[in-house]
Coordinates of all heavy atoms in Angstrom, one line a residue:
G95 N 69.4 23.8 54.7 CA 70.2 22.9 54.0 C 71.2 22.2 55.0 O 71.4 22.5 56.1
I96 N 71.7 21.1 54.5 CA 72.6 20.3 55.3 C 73.9 21.0 55.7 O 74.3 20.9 56.8 CB 73.0 19.0 54.5 CG1 71.8 18.2 54.1 CG2 74.0 18.2 55.2 CD1 71.0 17.7 55.3
C97 N 74.5 21.8 54.8 CA 75.7 22.5 55.2 C 75.5 23.5 56.3 O 76.3 23.6 57.2 CB 76.3 23.2 53.9 SG 75.3 24.5 53.2
Y98 N 74.4 24.2 56.3 CA 74.1 25.2 57.4 C 73.9 24.4 58.7 O 74.4 24.9 59.7 CB 72.8 25.9 57.0 CG 72.5 27.1 58.0 CD1 73.0 28.4 57.7 CD2 71.8 26.8 59.1 CE1 72.7 29.4 58.6 CE2 71.5 27.9 60.0 CZ 72.0 29.1 59.8 OH 71.8 30.2 60.6
D99 N 73.2 23.3 58.7 CA 73.0 22.5 59.9 C 74.3 22.0 60.5 O 74.6 22.1 61.7 CB 72.1 21.4 59.6 CG 70.7 21.8 59.2 OD1 70.3 23.0 59.5 OD2 70.0 21.0 58.5
L100 N 75.2 21.5 59.6 CA 76.5 21.0 60.1 C 77.4 22.1 60.6 O 78.0 21.9 61.6 CB 77.2 20.2 58.9 CG 76.6 18.8 58.6 CD1 77.3 18.2 57.4 CD2 76.8 17.9 59.8
A101 N 77.4 23.2 59.9 CA 78.2 24.4 60.3 C 77.7 24.9 61.7 O 78.4 25.3 62.6 CB 78.2 25.5 59.3
A102 N 76.3 25.0 61.9 CA 75.8 25.5 63.1 C 76.1 24.5 64.3 O 76.4 24.9 65.4 CB 74.2 25.6 63.0
L103 N 76.0 23.2 64.0 CA 76.3 22.2 65.0 C 77.8 22.3 65.4 O 78.1 22.2 66.6 CB 75.9 20.8 64.5 CG 76.2 19.6 65.4 CD1 75.5 19.8 66.7 CD2 75.9 18.3 64.7
T104 N 78.6 22.4 64.4 CA 80.1 22.5 64.6 C 80.4 23.7 65.5 O 81.2 23.6 66.4 CB 80.9 22.5 63.3 OG1 80.6 21.3 62.6 CG2 82.3 22.6 63.5
A105 N 79.8 24.8 65.1 CA 80.0 26.1 65.9 C 79.6 25.9 67.3 O 80.3 26.3 68.3 CB 79.3 27.2 65.2
S106 N 78.4 25.3 67.5 CA 77.9 25.1 68.9 C 78.8 24.2 69.7 O 79.1 24.5 70.9 CB 76.5 24.5 68.8 OG 75.6 25.4 68.2
M107 N 79.3 23.1 69.1 CA 80.1 22.1 69.8 C 81.5 22.8 70.2 O 81.9 22.6 71.3 CB 80.3 20.9 69.0 CG 79.1 20.0 68.9 SD 79.3 18.4 68.2 CE 80.2 18.7 66.7
L108 N 82.1 23.5 69.2 CA 83.4 24.1 69.5 C 83.2 25.2 70.5 O 84.1 25.3 71.4 CB 84.0 24.6 68.2 CG 84.5 23.6 67.2 CD1 84.9 24.2 65.9 CD2 85.7 22.8 67.8
R109 N 82.2 26.0 70.4 CA 82.0 27.1 71.4 C 81.8 26.5 72.8 O 82.2 27.1 73.8 CB 80.8 27.9 71.0 CG 81.1 28.8 69.8 CD 79.9 29.5 69.3 NE 80.1 30.3 68.1 CZ 79.2 30.7 67.2 NH1 77.9 30.3 67.4 NH2 79.6 31.4 66.2
S110 N 81.1 25.3 72.9 CA 80.8 24.7 74.2 C 82.1 24.3 74.9 O 82.1 24.1 76.2 CB 79.9 23.5 74.1 OG 80.5 22.4 73.6
I111 N 83.2 24.1 74.2 CA 84.5 23.7 74.9 C 85.4 24.9 74.8 O 86.6 24.7 75.0 CB 85.1 22.5 74.2 CG1 85.4 22.6 72.8 CG2 84.2 21.3 74.5 CD1 86.2 21.5 72.1
G112 N 84.9 26.1 74.6 CA 85.7 27.3 74.7 C 86.5 27.7 73.5 O 87.4 28.6 73.5
V113 N 86.3 27.1 72.3 CA 87.0 27.5 71.1 C 86.2 28.6 70.4 O 85.0 28.5 70.1 CB 87.1 26.3 70.1 CG1 87.8 26.7 68.8 CG2 87.9 25.1 70.8
Q114 N 86.9 29.7 70.1 CA 86.3 30.8 69.4 C 85.9 30.3 68.0 O 86.8 29.9 67.3 CB 87.2 32.0 69.3 CG 87.3 32.8 70.6 CD 88.2 34.0 70.3 OE1 89.4 33.9 70.1 NE2 87.6 35.2 70.3
T115 N 84.7 30.4 67.6 CA 84.2 29.9 66.3 C 83.2 30.8 65.7 O 82.4 31.5 66.3 CB 83.5 28.5 66.6 OG1 84.4 27.7 67.3 CG2 83.2 27.9 65.3
K116 N 83.4 30.9 64.4 CA 82.4 31.7 63.6 C 81.7 30.8 62.6 O 82.4 29.8 62.1 CB 83.1 32.8 62.8 CG 83.7 33.9 63.6 CD 84.4 34.9 62.7 CE 85.1 36.0 63.6 NZ 85.8 37.0 62.7
M117 N 80.5 31.0 62.3 CA 79.8 30.3 61.2 C 79.7 31.3 60.0 O 79.4 32.4 60.2 CB 78.4 29.9 61.6 CG 77.8 28.9 60.7 SD 76.2 28.3 61.3 CE 75.1 29.2 60.2
I118 N 80.1 30.8 58.9 CA 80.3 31.6 57.7 C 79.3 31.1 56.6 O 79.2 29.9 56.4 CB 81.7 31.6 57.1 CG1 82.8 31.8 58.2 CG2 81.9 32.6 56.0 CD1 82.7 33.1 59.0
T119 N 78.7 32.0 55.9 CA 77.9 31.6 54.7 C 78.4 32.5 53.5 O 78.9 33.6 53.7 CB 76.4 31.8 54.9 OG1 76.1 33.2 55.2 CG2 75.9 31.0 56.0
G120 N 78.3 31.9 52.4 CA 78.7 32.6 51.2 C 78.8 31.7 50.0 O 78.1 30.7 49.9
Y121 N 79.7 32.0 49.0 CA 79.7 31.3 47.7 C 81.2 30.9 47.5 O 81.9 31.6 46.7 CB 79.2 32.2 46.6 CG 77.8 32.6 46.8 CD1 77.4 33.8 47.5 CD2 76.7 31.8 46.3 CE1 76.1 34.1 47.7 CE2 75.4 32.2 46.5 CZ 75.1 33.4 47.2 OH 73.8 33.7 47.4
P122 N 81.7 29.9 48.1 CA 83.1 29.5 47.9 C 83.3 29.0 46.5 O 82.4 28.4 45.8 CB 83.3 28.4 48.9 CG 82.0 27.8 49.1 CD 81.0 28.9 49.0
A123 N 84.5 29.2 46.0 CA 84.9 28.7 44.6 C 86.2 27.9 44.8 O 87.2 28.5 45.1 CB 85.1 29.8 43.7
N124 N 86.0 26.6 44.7 CA 87.2 25.7 44.8 C 86.9 24.4 44.1 O 85.9 24.3 43.3 CB 87.6 25.5 46.3 CG 86.4 25.0 47.1 OD1 85.7 24.1 46.7 ND2 86.2 25.5 48.3
K125 N 87.6 23.4 44.3 CA 87.4 22.1 43.6 C 86.1 21.4 44.0 O 85.7 20.5 43.3 CB 88.6 21.2 43.7 CG 89.0 20.7 45.0 CD 90.2 19.9 45.0 CE 90.7 19.6 46.3 NZ 92.0 18.8 46.3
Y126 N 85.5 21.8 45.1 CA 84.3 21.2 45.6 C 83.0 22.1 45.3 O 81.9 21.5 45.2 CB 84.3 20.9 47.1 CG 85.6 20.1 47.4 CD1 86.6 20.7 48.2 CD2 85.7 18.8 47.0 CE1 87.7 20.0 48.5 CE2 86.9 18.1 47.3 CZ 87.9 18.7 48.0 OH 89.0 18.0 48.3
Y127 N 83.2 23.4 45.2 CA 82.0 24.3 45.0 C 82.3 25.2 43.8 O 83.4 25.7 43.7 CB 81.8 25.1 46.3 CG 81.6 24.2 47.5 CD1 82.6 24.1 48.5 CD2 80.5 23.4 47.7 CE1 82.5 23.3 49.6 CE2 80.3 22.6 48.8 CZ 81.4 22.5 49.7 OH 81.2 21.7 50.8
D128 N 81.3 25.5 43.1 CA 81.4 26.3 41.9 C 81.4 27.8 42.0 O 81.5 28.5 41.0 CB 80.4 25.8 40.8 CG 78.9 26.1 41.3 OD1 78.7 26.8 42.3 OD2 78.0 25.6 40.7
G129 N 81.2 28.3 43.2 CA 81.2 29.8 43.3 C 79.8 30.4 43.2 O 79.6 31.5 43.4
R130 N 78.8 29.5 42.7 CA 77.4 30.0 42.5 C 76.5 29.4 43.5 O 75.3 29.8 43.6 CB 77.0 29.7 41.1 CG 77.8 30.4 40.0 CD 77.3 30.0 38.7 NE 77.6 28.5 38.6 CZ 77.8 27.9 37.5 NH1 77.8 28.5 36.4 NH2 78.0 26.6 37.5
S131 N 77.0 28.4 44.3 CA 76.1 27.6 45.2 C 76.3 28.2 46.6 O 77.4 28.3 47.1 CB 76.4 26.2 45.2 OG 76.3 25.6 43.9
Y132 N 75.2 28.5 47.3 CA 75.3 29.1 48.6 C 75.7 28.0 49.6 O 75.3 26.8 49.4 CB 73.9 29.6 49.0 CG 73.9 30.5 50.2 CD1 74.5 31.8 50.1 CD2 73.2 30.2 51.4 CE1 74.5 32.6 51.2 CE2 73.2 31.1 52.4 CZ 73.9 32.3 52.3 OH 73.9 33.1 53.4
H133 N 76.6 28.3 50.5 CA 77.2 27.3 51.3 C 77.5 27.8 52.7 O 77.5 29.1 52.9 CB 78.5 26.8 50.7 CG 79.1 25.6 51.4 ND1 78.5 24.4 51.6 CD2 80.4 25.5 51.9 CE1 79.3 23.6 52.3 NE2 80.4 24.2 52.4
A134 N 77.7 27.0 53.7 CA 78.0 27.4 55.1 C 79.2 26.6 55.5 O 79.3 25.4 55.2 CB 76.9 27.2 56.0
W135 N 80.1 27.2 56.3 CA 81.3 26.6 56.8 C 81.7 27.3 58.1 O 81.0 28.2 58.5 CB 82.5 26.6 55.8 CG 83.0 27.9 55.3 CD1 84.0 28.6 55.8 CD2 82.4 28.7 54.3 NE1 84.2 29.8 55.2 CE2 83.2 29.9 54.2 CE3 81.4 28.6 53.4 CZ2 82.9 30.9 53.3 CZ3 81.1 29.6 52.5 CH2 81.9 30.7 52.4
N136 N 82.9 27.0 58.7 CA 83.3 27.6 59.9 C 84.7 28.1 59.9 O 85.5 27.7 59.1 CB 83.2 26.5 61.1 CG 81.8 26.0 61.3 OD1 81.5 24.9 60.7 ND2 81.0 26.7 62.0
K137 N 84.9 29.1 60.8 CA 86.2 29.6 61.1 C 86.4 29.3 62.6 O 85.5 29.5 63.3 CB 86.4 31.0 60.8 CG 86.6 31.4 59.4 CD 86.8 33.0 59.3 CE 86.9 33.4 57.9 NZ 87.1 34.9 57.8
L138 N 87.6 28.8 62.9 CA 87.9 28.7 64.4 C 89.2 29.4 64.6 O 90.1 29.4 63.8 CB 87.9 27.2 64.8 CG 88.9 26.3 64.2 CD1 90.2 26.2 65.0 CD2 88.3 24.9 64.0
Y139 N 89.3 29.9 65.8 CA 90.6 30.7 66.2 C 91.5 29.7 66.9 O 91.2 29.1 67.9 CB 90.3 31.9 67.1 CG 91.5 32.7 67.3 CD1 91.9 33.5 66.3 CD2 92.2 32.6 68.5 CE1 93.1 34.3 66.4 CE2 93.4 33.4 68.6 CZ 93.8 34.2 67.6 OH 95.0 35.0 67.7
S140 N 92.7 29.6 66.3 CA 93.8 28.8 66.9 C 94.7 29.7 67.7 O 95.4 30.6 67.2 CB 94.6 28.2 65.8 OG 95.8 27.6 66.3
K141 N 94.6 29.5 69.0 CA 95.5 30.2 70.0 C 96.9 29.9 69.7 O 97.8 30.7 69.8 CB 95.1 30.0 71.4 CG 93.8 30.5 71.8 CD 93.5 30.2 73.3 CE 92.1 30.7 73.6 NZ 91.7 30.3 75.0
E142 N 97.2 28.7 69.3 CA 98.5 28.2 69.1 C 99.1 28.9 67.9 O 100.3 29.4 67.9 CB 98.5 26.7 68.8 CG 99.9 26.1 68.6 CD 99.7 24.6 68.4 OE1 99.4 23.8 69.3 OE2 99.9 24.1 67.2
K143 N 98.4 29.0 66.8 CA 98.8 29.7 65.6 C 98.5 31.2 65.5 O 99.0 31.9 64.6 CB 98.3 29.0 64.3 CG 98.7 27.5 64.2 CD 98.2 26.9 62.9 CE 98.7 25.5 62.8 NZ 98.4 24.8 61.6
K144 N 97.7 31.6 66.5 CA 97.3 33.0 66.5 C 96.6 33.5 65.2 O 96.9 34.6 64.8 CB 98.5 33.9 66.9 CG 99.0 33.6 68.3 CD 100.1 34.6 68.7 CE 100.5 34.5 70.1 NZ 101.1 33.5 70.8
K145 N 95.8 32.7 64.7 CA 95.0 33.1 63.5 C 93.8 32.3 63.3 O 93.6 31.2 64.0 CB 95.9 33.0 62.3 CG 96.3 31.6 61.9 CD 97.1 31.6 60.6 CE 97.3 30.2 60.1 NZ 98.0 30.2 58.8
W146 N 92.9 32.8 62.5 CA 91.6 32.1 62.2 C 91.9 31.0 61.1 O 92.6 31.3 60.1 CB 90.6 33.1 61.7 CG 90.0 33.9 62.8 CD1 90.5 35.2 63.1 CD2 89.0 33.6 63.7 NE1 89.8 35.7 64.2 CE2 88.8 34.7 64.5 CE3 88.1 32.5 63.8 CZ2 87.9 34.7 65.6 CZ3 87.2 32.6 64.8 CH2 87.1 33.7 65.7
L147 N 91.3 29.8 61.3 CA 91.4 28.7 60.4 C 90.1 28.3 59.9 O 89.1 28.4 60.6 CB 92.1 27.5 61.1 CG 93.4 27.8 61.8 CD1 93.8 26.5 62.6 CD2 94.5 28.1 60.8
I148 N 90.0 27.9 58.6 CA 88.8 27.5 58.0 C 88.6 26.0 58.0 O 89.5 25.3 57.6 CB 88.7 28.1 56.5 CG1 88.7 29.6 56.6 CG2 87.5 27.5 55.8 CD1 88.8 30.2 55.2
I149 N 87.4 25.6 58.4 CA 87.1 24.2 58.3 C 85.7 24.1 57.6 O 84.9 25.0 57.7 CB 87.0 23.5 59.7 CG1 86.0 24.1 60.6 CG2 88.4 23.4 60.3 CD1 85.8 23.3 61.9
D150 N 85.5 23.0 56.9 CA 84.3 22.8 56.2 C 83.9 21.3 56.4 O 84.3 20.4 55.7 CB 84.5 23.0 54.7 CG 83.2 22.9 53.9 OD1 82.2 22.4 54.4 OD2 83.2 23.3 52.7
V151 N 83.1 21.1 57.5 CA 82.7 19.7 57.8 C 81.8 19.1 56.8 O 81.9 17.9 56.6 CB 82.1 19.6 59.2 CG1 83.1 20.0 60.3 CG2 80.9 20.5 59.4
T152 N 81.0 19.9 56.1 CA 80.2 19.3 55.0 C 81.0 18.7 53.9 O 80.8 17.5 53.5 CB 79.3 20.4 54.4 OG1 78.5 21.0 55.4 CG2 78.3 19.8 53.4
C153 N 82.0 19.4 53.5 CA 82.9 18.9 52.5 C 83.6 17.6 53.0 O 83.7 16.6 52.3 CB 84.0 19.9 52.2 SG 85.2 19.4 51.0
D154 N 84.1 17.6 54.3 CA 84.8 16.4 54.8 C 83.8 15.2 54.9 O 84.2 14.1 54.6 CB 85.4 16.8 56.2 CG 86.5 17.8 56.0 OD1 87.1 17.9 54.9 OD2 86.9 18.4 57.0
V155 N 82.6 15.5 55.3 CA 81.6 14.4 55.4 C 81.4 13.7 54.0 O 81.4 12.5 53.9 CB 80.3 14.8 56.1 CG1 79.2 13.8 55.9 CG2 80.5 15.1 57.5
C156 N 81.2 14.6 53.1 CA 80.9 14.1 51.7 C 82.1 13.3 51.2 O 81.9 12.2 50.6 CB 80.6 15.2 50.8 SG 79.1 16.0 51.1
L157 N 83.3 13.8 51.4 CA 84.5 13.0 51.0 C 84.7 11.7 51.7 O 85.0 10.7 51.1 CB 85.8 13.9 51.1 CG 85.9 15.1 50.2 CD1 87.0 16.0 50.6 CD2 86.0 14.7 48.8
Y158 N 84.3 11.7 53.0 CA 84.4 10.5 53.8 C 83.4 9.5 53.3 O 83.7 8.3 53.1 CB 84.2 10.8 55.3 CG 84.2 9.6 56.1 CD1 85.4 9.1 56.5 CD2 83.1 9.0 56.6 CE1 85.5 8.0 57.3 CE2 83.1 7.8 57.4 CZ 84.3 7.3 57.8 OH 84.4 6.2 58.5
E159 N 82.2 10.0 53.0 CA 81.2 9.1 52.5 C 81.5 8.5 51.1 O 81.1 7.4 50.7 CB 79.8 9.8 52.5 CG 79.2 9.9 53.9 CD 77.9 10.6 53.9 OE1 77.4 11.1 52.8 OE2 77.3 10.6 54.9
Q160 N 82.3 9.3 50.3 CA 82.7 8.8 49.0 C 83.9 7.8 49.1 O 84.5 7.5 48.1 CB 83.1 10.0 48.1 CG 81.9 10.8 47.8 CD 82.4 12.1 47.0 OE1 83.5 12.3 46.7 NE2 81.4 13.0 46.8
K161 N 84.3 7.5 50.4 CA 85.4 6.6 50.7 C 86.7 7.1 50.3 O 87.6 6.4 50.0 CB 85.1 5.2 50.1 CG 83.8 4.6 50.5 CD 83.8 3.2 50.6 CE 82.4 2.6 50.9 NZ 81.7 3.0 52.0
T162 N 86.9 8.5 50.3 CA 88.2 9.0 50.1 C 89.0 8.7 51.3 O 88.6 8.7 52.5 CB 88.1 10.6 50.0 OG1 87.2 10.9 49.0 CG2 89.4 11.2 49.9
K163 N 90.2 8.3 51.1 CA 91.1 7.9 52.2 C 91.3 9.1 53.1 O 91.7 10.2 52.7 CB 92.4 7.4 51.7 CG 92.4 6.1 51.0 CD 93.7 5.5 50.9 CE 93.5 4.1 50.3 NZ 94.5 3.2 50.6
Y164 N 90.9 9.0 54.4 CA 90.9 10.1 55.3 C 92.2 10.7 55.5 O 92.4 11.9 55.7 CB 90.2 9.7 56.6 CG 89.7 10.9 57.3 CD1 88.6 11.6 56.9 CD2 90.4 11.5 58.4 CE1 88.1 12.7 57.5 CE2 89.9 12.6 59.1 CZ 88.8 13.2 58.6 OH 88.3 14.4 59.2
S165 N 93.3 9.9 55.3 CA 94.6 10.4 55.5 C 94.9 11.4 54.4 O 95.8 12.3 54.6 CB 95.6 9.3 55.4 OG 95.6 8.6 54.2
K166 N 94.2 11.4 53.3 CA 94.4 12.4 52.2 C 93.6 13.7 52.4 O 93.8 14.6 51.7 CB 94.0 11.8 50.9 CG 95.0 10.7 50.5 CD 94.6 10.1 49.1 CE 95.6 9.0 48.7 NZ 95.3 8.5 47.4
L167 N 92.6 13.6 53.4 CA 91.8 14.8 53.6 C 92.5 15.8 54.5 O 93.3 15.4 55.4 CB 90.5 14.4 54.3 CG 89.6 13.5 53.5 CD1 88.3 13.2 54.3 CD2 89.2 14.1 52.2
V168 N 92.3 17.0 54.2 CA 92.9 18.1 55.0 C 91.8 18.9 55.7 O 91.0 19.5 55.0 CB 93.7 19.1 54.1 CG1 94.3 20.2 54.9 CG2 94.8 18.3 53.3
M169 N 91.8 18.8 57.0 CA 90.7 19.5 57.7 C 90.7 21.0 57.6 O 89.7 21.6 57.4 CB 90.7 19.1 59.2 CG 89.6 19.6 60.0 SD 88.6 18.3 60.6 CE 87.3 19.1 61.4
I170 N 91.9 21.6 57.6 CA 92.1 23.0 57.5 C 92.1 23.4 56.0 O 92.9 22.9 55.3 CB 93.3 23.5 58.2 CG1 93.4 23.1 59.7 CG2 93.4 25.0 58.1 CD1 92.2 23.5 60.5
K171 N 91.1 24.2 55.6 CA 91.0 24.6 54.2 C 91.8 25.9 53.9 O 92.1 26.7 54.8 CB 89.5 24.8 53.9 CG 88.6 23.6 54.2 CD 89.1 22.3 53.6 CE 88.1 21.2 53.8 NZ 88.6 20.0 54.3
K172 N 92.0 26.1 52.7 CA 92.7 27.3 52.2 C 91.8 28.5 52.2 O 90.7 28.4 51.6 CB 93.3 27.1 50.8 CG 94.3 26.1 50.7 CD 94.8 25.9 49.2 CE 95.8 24.8 49.1 NZ 96.2 24.6 47.7
S173 N 92.2 29.6 52.9 CA 91.3 30.7 53.0 C 91.0 31.3 51.6 O 89.9 31.9 51.4 CB 91.9 31.8 53.9 OG 93.1 32.2 53.4
S174 N 91.9 31.2 50.6 CA 91.7 31.7 49.3 C 90.6 31.0 48.6 O 90.0 31.6 47.7 CB 93.0 31.6 48.5 OG 93.4 30.3 48.3
E175 N 90.2 29.8 49.0 CA 89.2 29.1 48.4 C 87.8 29.3 49.1 O 86.8 28.7 48.6 CB 89.5 27.6 48.4 CG 90.7 27.3 47.5 CD 91.1 25.8 47.5 OE1 90.5 25.0 48.3 OE2 91.9 25.4 46.7
Y176 N 87.8 30.1 50.1 CA 86.6 30.4 50.8 C 86.5 31.9 51.1 O 86.2 32.3 52.2 CB 86.6 29.6 52.2 CG 86.4 28.1 52.0 CD1 87.4 27.3 51.7 CD2 85.1 27.6 52.2 CE1 87.2 25.9 51.5 CE2 84.9 26.2 52.0 CZ 85.9 25.4 51.7 OH 85.7 24.1 51.5
S177 N 86.7 32.7 50.0 CA 86.8 34.1 50.2 C 85.5 34.9 49.9 O 85.4 36.0 50.3 CB 88.0 34.7 49.4 OG 87.8 34.4 48.0
N178 N 84.6 34.3 49.2 CA 83.4 35.0 48.8 C 82.3 34.9 49.9 O 81.4 34.1 49.8 CB 82.8 34.4 47.5 CG 81.8 35.3 46.9 OD1 81.4 36.3 47.5 ND2 81.3 34.9 45.7
V179 N 82.5 35.6 51.0 CA 81.8 35.5 52.2 C 80.6 36.5 52.1 O 80.7 37.6 51.8 CB 82.6 35.9 53.4 CG1 81.8 36.0 54.7 CG2 83.7 34.9 53.6
K180 N 79.4 36.0 52.5 CA 78.2 36.8 52.6 C 77.9 37.2 54.0 O 77.7 38.4 54.3 CB 77.0 36.0 52.0 CG 75.7 36.7 51.9 CD 75.7 37.5 50.7 CE 74.3 38.0 50.5 NZ 74.2 39.2 49.6
Y181 N 77.9 36.3 55.0 CA 77.7 36.6 56.4 C 78.6 35.9 57.3 O 79.0 34.7 57.0 CB 76.3 36.3 56.8 CG 75.2 37.0 56.0 CD1 74.5 36.3 55.1 CD2 74.9 38.3 56.3 CE1 73.5 37.0 54.3 CE2 73.9 39.0 55.6 CZ 73.2 38.3 54.6 OH 72.2 38.9 53.9
E182 N 79.0 36.5 58.4 CA 79.7 35.8 59.5 C 78.9 35.9 60.8 O 78.5 37.0 61.1 CB 81.1 36.5 59.7 CG 82.1 36.2 58.6 CD 83.5 36.6 58.9 OE1 83.8 36.7 60.2 OE2 84.3 36.8 58.0
Y183 N 78.7 34.8 61.4 CA 77.9 34.8 62.7 C 78.8 34.4 63.8 O 79.5 33.5 63.8 CB 76.8 33.7 62.6 CG 75.9 33.9 61.4 CD1 76.1 33.2 60.2 CD2 74.8 34.7 61.4 CE1 75.3 33.3 59.1 CE2 73.9 34.8 60.3 CZ 74.2 34.1 59.2 OH 73.4 34.2 58.1

């Protein structure tokens, strides 16, 4: 699926520049996903904040394509909305 491909590509690119990154799959429940659809996203480790942050490039691409004003998009997602994790790679 598209989300898996984008998450794998994002993980590869971030890892290539030394950013600790995980690829996550599961069933997120938030305003974009219903909790029943299998999805893939990423976690990256922020040395500055000393914690793992969640990003979902598939969600951002879709919002961008829908012409959502990018200034309204938030790249870092809420961990509570991405908690139904199946696998971490």
